[in-house]
Amino acid sequence: MIYLDHAATTAVHPEVIREMEPYFGELYANPSGVYEFSEDAKEILQRVRQRIADSIGAESNEIYFTSGGTESDNWALVGAAEGMRNRGRHIITSCIEHHAILRACEYLETRGYDITYLPVDAEGRVSIEELERAIRPDTILISIMFANNEVGTVQPIQEIGAIAERNGILFHTDAVQAYLHEKIDVGKMGIGMLSASSHKFQGPKGVGFLYVRSGIDLPSFLHGGSQERGRRAGTENVAGIVGMGKAVAVGEREYQKNHEKMLSLREYLLHRLETEIPFCKINGSRKDRLDGNVNVSFRFLEGESLIILLDMEGICVSGGSACAASEHTVSHVLQGIGLPPEFSRGTIRISLGAENTIEEMEYVADKIKELVGNLREFSEEYLELQEKGFV
Ligand code: PLP
């Protein structure tokens, strides 16, 4: 199998598995216990909190463990909206956010909030001017993702943060795809809240964190015990948090090596697809792009058919985000960038990981070329062009 869907999830790193193991066995204590046995769990949670804080230039008491990206996003949006409802009810986001943000916004709309969905340009970037124009006296929150999960475009986060700061508006960013892949400094970037999810960076599933700048009064989302300084109730997922902490350590240690490798694999694949397959379009920004993202559209075929044929060859890619894949609708992100339907229909997302190799890229490029050719044999439009000598 050649796994090329790392934006959906990643394999847990072997060092992470080793680090987690004792916490399923002999170190099973509840960190809230008052006895000696709980001390290790308490201490390790604090160490992970500190490590995560250091990785984004935050303080450890600004990190809250959650069950992952969806919870962090929902908490940030719904919590901030509720907490500031007396100040205003207007929120700005973008039209290409993950559904964890968009569905939370839809929920808030039913509760009387007004949401502005900023458009993006053809590369998937929000316009700073549009953002400035959208700000109103009752705007309480700006939530713009750090990097897009489908087309890989990295947003001008520092500029967005500066605008938010200048206008005294809280800025949240969904960094689920960007954390440990892009350099993040919450202070420099004016970020007030940041969501991340462990399974996107070789940690376990079902665990993540929300950074909340100190001084922000974010109401609790889950009510119950006094865990997470009374702001996020529920017995901590100790093994998961330990695993996430190790994944952060491994990710930071390997950052440079992985960054260079993935970049060269990505460029190799992009180049081959672009130069060897006619009627092919690379989506997203070439410059401001996640290292591992290759989002590409082929005219005269259905992306789903290509995905199935690639799967039969043992190659895992996706058609958009994993959540969008089951919905069989044209991706809102591809609509957002204004991709014409004849291209969006034939789109696949390839997302690379550190363990991928150049030999795999060679094989995958060959296979895609072959399968695209085969599928186009079923397109009358394509055959007509061929007959007329255009291809
Ligand atoms: N935000 C983005 C940008 C994502 O890509 C994802 C998952 O694909 C999520 C949020 C949701 O994260 P989780 O799977 O941890 O709930």
Side-chain angles (χ1 to χ4, degrees):
M1 180 180 85
I2 301 178
Y3 184 77
L4 299 175
D5 200 16
H6 294 81
T9 199
T10 57
V12 179
H13 194 283
E15 287 182 48
V16 170
I17 297 175
R18 268 201 300 283
E19 190 95 349
M20 288 170 74
E21 225 150 23
Y23 293 89
F24 293 111
E26 69 266 32
L27 298 177
Y28 59 83
N30 186 323
S32 299
V34 292
Y35 28 77
E36 180 71 26
F37 183 39
S38 290
E39 282 311 303
D40 181 77
K42 247 182 239 148
E43 222 175 85
I44 190 95
L45 293 191
Q46 193 44 33
R47 275 211 300 274
V48 173
R49 213 184 292 284
Q50 186 65 56
R51 173 169 284 152
I52 290 172
D54 291 345
S55 71
I56 56 171
E59 299 293 331
S60 68
N61 63 2
E62 297 173 313
I63 304 298
Y64 295 87
F65 298 127
T66 67
S67 64
T70 301
E71 183 190 327
S72 297
D73 283 347
N74 272 264
W75 184 16
L77 261 77
V78 178
E82 281 182 356
M84 291 188 281
R85 70 173 174 275
N86 294 330
R87 265 188 50 196
R89 300 209 168 184
H90 179 234
I91 293 169
I92 300 172
T93 187
S94 86
C95 65
I96 60 161
E97 298 294 310
H98 189 271
H99 283 134
I101 294 289
L102 294 178
R103 299 271 192 259
C105 285
E106 282 169 22
Y107 165 75
L108 288 171
E109 282 173 325
T110 69
R111 316 303 289 177
Y113 291 84
D114 194 12
I115 317 283
T116 297
Y117 299 92
L118 291 177
V120 293
D121 66 15
E123 293 193 342
R125 205 178 288 103
V126 297
S127 141
I128 295 300
E129 292 74 37
E130 296 259 15
L131 170 63
E132 281 189 304
R133 265 201 298 276
I135 292 173
R136 309 190 319 210
D138 62 339
T139 306
I140 49 172
L141 177 70
I142 296 170
S143 180
I144 304 284
M145 68 202 318
F146 207 111
N148 184 262
N149 46 302
E150 290 189 37
V151 294
T153 303
V154 179
Q155 299 294 342
I157 291 297
Q158 193 153 341
E159 287 174 69
I160 296 170
I163 290 170
E165 253 172 18
R166 216 178 308 132
N167 288 275
I169 301 168
L170 177 58
F171 173 36
H172 165 255
T173 187
D174 172 345
V176 167
Q177 294 290 337
Y179 179 65
L180 290 185
H181 295 291
E182 296 293 314
K183 296 278 181 206
I184 301 178
D185 184 320
V186 288
K188 261 197 214 140
M189 295 176 153
I191 298 168
M193 297 190 288
L194 177 143
S195 307
S197 177
S198 147
H199 73 104
K200 306 291 186 180
F201 53 88
Q202 296 203 281
K205 293 170 182 58
V207 60
F209 69 87
L210 179 67
Y211 155 76
V212 184
R213 189 201 292 142
S214 67
I216 293 172
D217 181 23
L218 189 71
S220 298
F221 194 53
L222 294 180
H223 308 283
S226 59
Q227 292 92 350
E228 297 300 284
R229 303 173 298 291
R231 289 173 106 176
R232 197 277 186 184
T235 301
E236 299 87 345
N237 173 2
V238 180
I241 293 167
V242 167
M244 172 163 68
K246 187 66 183 178
V248 172
V250 172
E252 288 192 313
R253 190 187 70 207
E254 314 265 298
Y255 171 80
Q256 200 53 35
K257 188 174 75 174
N258 292 346
H259 165 65
E260 285 163 18
K261 182 181 175 195
M262 279 175 14
L263 211 55
S264 75
L265 295 182
R266 181 190 85 187
E267 289 306 307
Y268 170 84
L269 194 56
L270 283 174
H271 179 74
R272 282 212 50 200
L273 298 177
E274 213 171 20
T275 53
E276 295 179 25
I277 304 180
F279 303 105
C280 150
K281 189 180 176 320
I282 308 296
N283 302 310
S285 167
R286 285 307 279 262
K287 188 166 69 67
D288 302 315
R289 184 184 202 100
L290 288 172
D291 292 342
N293 178 284
V294 174
N295 187 298
V296 58
S297 304
F298 304 101
R299 267 191 79 177
F300 310 115
L301 58 84
E302 297 294 326
E304 248 173 81
S305 312
L306 182 56
I307 291 165
I308 292 167
L309 293 181
L310 284 167
D311 187 27
M312 287 163 71
E313 302 286 343
I315 301 167
C316 306
V317 305
S318 86
S321 68
C323 329
S326 55
E327 290 180 15
H328 294 292
T329 50
V330 172
S331 133
H332 65 286
V333 176
L334 300 180
Q335 276 178 355
I337 63 172
L339 194 67
E342 63 270 26
F343 275 105
S344 54
R345 269 200 296 275
T347 302
I348 61 169
R349 177 189 70 180
I350 297 169
S351 45
L352 310 174
E355 79 282 3
N356 290 131
T357 62
I358 188 70
E359 290 75 24
E360 286 176 337
M361 295 306 109
E362 287 164 4
Y363 178 73
V364 167
D366 288 344
K367 270 291 159 212
I368 292 178
K369 197 172 150 185
E370 177 194 323
L371 296 173
V372 165
N374 293 348
L375 284 170
R376 282 177 172 169
E377 294 294 315
F378 296 96
S379 159
E380 277 177 25
E381 222 184 325
Y382 183 77
L383 293 177
E384 222 170 90
L385 284 178
Q386 224 173 15
E387 224 165 79
K388 290 180 182 156
F390 291 124
V391 260

